[in-house]
Amino acid sequence: MASGKDSDRTLGYMTRKDTEVKLPRPTRVKNKTPAPVQITAEQILREARERQEAEIRPPKQKITDSTELSDYRLRRRKEFEDQIRRARWNIQVWMKYAQWEESQKDYARARSVWERAIEGDYRNHTLWLKYAEFEMKNKFVNSARNVWDRAVTLLPRVDQLWYKYIHMEEILGNIAGARQIFERWMQWSPDQQGWLSFVKFELRYNEIERARSIYERFVLCHPKVSAFIRFAKFEMKGGEVARARHVYERATEKLAEDEEAETLFVAFAEFEERCKEPERARFIYKFALDHIPKGRAEDLYKKFVAFEKQYGDKEGIEDAIVGKRRFQYEDEVRKNPLNYDSWFDYVRLEETVGNKDRIREIYERAIANIPPAEEKRYWQRYIYLWINYALYEEIETEDVERTRDVYRECLKLIPHSKFSFAKIWLLAAQFEIRQLNLAGARQILGNAIGKAPKDKIFKKYIEIELQLGNIDRCRKLYERYLEWSPENCYAWSKYAELERSLAETERARAIFELAISQPALDMPELLWKAYIDFEMAEGELERTRALYERLLDRTKHYKVLVSFAKFEASAAEQEEDEEEEDQEETDAIERKKECIRRARAIFERANSYYKDSAPELKEERATLLEDWLNMETNFGKLGDVSVVQSKLPKKLKKRKPITREDGSTEYEEYIDYLYPEESQTTNLKILEAAYKWKKQKLATSEEEYD
């Protein structure tokens, strides 16, 4: 027997498990690589359609007499009853059964089927809808009323049943009956749409007083802003201005603290505007601004400004808004004086008004709120209060001494031993330069370098002195810069660049030599490149070669090797430019061949290094050989592509297993390189293994013979 958990008296002898649709278990695809031959969806559908067998349809039957009809009906009813016994919970079976009985004009049986279905599941409102539609379609009006009445009694919260019931009565012209149904529905306090449907119903028959009374009950049931606004608009549409105003006043008394109060006040003010009562509207706006929090009154402010632009003067609107916002900002900074964003907004508000004393007062109050901890992240926002204060004094008030005092006090306040702000030092120095006080600017930047040296300060100080043409000061600054940060390749390069621009070649070379001799550098590759470019620009080919050799003692990166080879290849052109024009062409060709030989020798060295010392760097070696091949191709007739082609590797696509987090394994493709010497080694290993196997086989056969 089936257990109590699976058994169900509505399923007959079957269990619920037997009625479930069992789908095949989805298989997990292990190999997700694309197939070599791709098949489109269109091709699959076309093949499926071609292979599809013709549909087998049962032969058509014609019923010729009442006996056959009776047999057919009996058979069909038995089939439906069997289906119901198997799946009594399936609504579609009941509906098909009832519709079939209806098609046979046996309305009593159809009604019986609907009743049995409802008895099994009366909470399903679809059954009630279909049952009532059956009665209405066949013009059984009283039966339909009976069905609707039972439906709304059992399921009063399903709005669709009420709407259909009322619609039927309205179509039949039974207005009083429809109104009575609405009244029954309203006792259940439906949502707003139900009440509005009742109002529209009364308005269709011009029952204004009834609609008004419904609205009164509506706002009592749903005391929301949208409900009161609809009520007021209804009164306004009927020309009842006093009644509409009374509705708005009631709403204001009840919902002044509601979240949607802004919408209510805006609607009330716009109503007074339409009634040509600007003073009333202004009072409503001011009342709203006093009672609604700032965060929820954005639209209200916009509407108030637009209203004042139309009906009032500019001073009135500015005073109203600024006064209100000033009160809000005071409240915010009182609650949290370390919220610097509130201070920024407050200062910006006062700057729009233009009262200088008031602005200075706010700035002084703001900068008095020093961050509690000496950590830079707490000061990053605070420091901009000082910056804005100084810029305001310089640009707006044009008070030089006060601006200088602001910068001085700010620099005193910052704990430079723990952290500093290069921006403040530079702004203070630039201010002194604008006042033509170079001594003061140099003093500020000198203090900055002494107390809190930073890259930005050194760069800007050097830039200023360079613009002024003080080369000796620039050199001293670069020396201080490099004492503070000897690993800074940017500083070394710029120092050498300065000396070169002054035609001090030996000084520039000495600086580069000092730079590359440092034990630690942040970007050594850029420094070496700058040094090599410097020597090449000076035309010192032997020095450049020596530099490359020194660099190769430190690193064997393939980019360095390729760059060295390209330099040797282009050396012929540089020498050619230096020679006289009347030299013979054969000498030029010989020089070019010598340069090609040198470049080729560098590539040979690089290939040997990767082959013997770094065999794991296969990709770098392949890139090197490709550059070599390109160079030989560019040489034209003097190049020898065959030298490189014999060394080029074969590209092999391989797959490696990757274990995922869930434990499954998938394969990832990658490119591997097989070099000629590796393939020869592989062939030798195979021959050696074959020789051993043959020797072992001969030994075994001799033992058997003995």
Side-chain angles (χ1 to χ4, degrees), residues 155-164 185 190-191 194:
L155 303 172
R157 294 296 179 191
V158 181
D159 294 347
Q160 192 178 7
L161 297 174
W162 292 102
Y163 283 126
K164 293 279 188 181
W185 187 14
D191 59 4

Side-chain angles (χ1 to χ4, degrees), residues 367-381:
I367 61 178
N369 297 289
I370 302 170
E374 290 186 351
E375 292 183 29
K376 191 168 184 177
R377 58 194 178 101
Y378 296 117
W379 287 64
Q380 283 175 337
R381 198 79 179 126

Side-chain angles (χ1 to χ4, degrees), residues 17 23 103 228 465 496 507 588:
K17 189 174 182 181
L23 297 174
S103 68
F228 277 101
E465 295 295 352
R507 274 180 173 272

